[in-house]
Amino acid sequence: MVSENSDAQGGETTALALKILVAGGFGVGKTTLVGAVSEIRPLRTEELLSEAGQSVDDTDGVDQKVTTTVAMDFGRITIRSGLSLYLFGTPGQDRFWFLWDELSQGALGAVVLADTRRLEDCFPAVDYFEHRHIPFVVAVNCFAGARTFGAQDVSRALDLDQGTPVVLCDARDRDSGKEVLIRLVEYAGRMHTARLLDSVS
């Protein structure tokens, strides 16, 4: 999305807004990340976990979680002058995945949040973006008390395509989250440029 804004001297500057998805398994920190980095009050569609969902929502390792996203989270962050990111947090449970196709339309790329205590939970998101050729980075949310693994270890465990970035982060920390987003924008920019060059060569 591109829009024109006038600057103080009366000239025209181009403001670019990019759509980014934040995905991953149930309870991995998607809502937390969007809320931590957003410069506006984030839109949240959280509901209390119910008894009906106990049979399908695996809360092992996230026992304190009492709510879940049922549609999406939304936030916005300005990376630098003229560049803003619109963040769309996806629901984690598979019963809400029908929303992913709609949310992914027009996205530059995605952040796949991972929890090393439940690494298998991010496999569906990784598969989703790989099959649709949407650039993504894996951001390992470093929970207190969880065993620490290096980026290469996580990359091998997830069988990521060569070159897919893996970064360590704290989803609660704005600067850490912003670094993840910058890494994604840089990586997605390189991927889109390479595809464009391939298409005209």
Side-chain angles (χ1 to χ4, degrees), residues 1 18-20 101-109:
M1 178 189 300
L18 304 174
K19 182 180 183 180
I20 302 295
D101 287 338
E102 190 72 28
L103 290 174
S104 66
Q105 291 294 319
L108 174 77

Side-chain angles (χ1 to χ4, degrees), residues 7 20 77 84 87 90 92 96 102 112 150 158-159 165 171 173 175 201:
D7 62 21
I20 302 295
I77 179 174
S84 296
L87 309 175
T90 65
F96 296 125
E102 190 72 28
V112 176
L158 293 175
D159 193 25
D173 183 78
D175 290 337
S201 61

Side-chain angles (χ1 to χ4, degrees), residues 1 36 62 68-69 88 117 134 141 149 154 169 179 183 199:
M1 178 189 300
V62 287
T68 186
T69 299
F88 291 82
R117 301 169 302 176
I134 297 174
N141 192 7
F149 292 89
V154 174
C169 75
E179 284 301 314
R183 185 77 178 272
S199 70

Side-chain angles (χ1 to χ4, degrees), residues 163-174:
T164 302
V166 176
V167 295
L168 306 182
C169 75
D170 181 344
R172 303 166 299 179
D173 183 78
R174 187 176 195 275

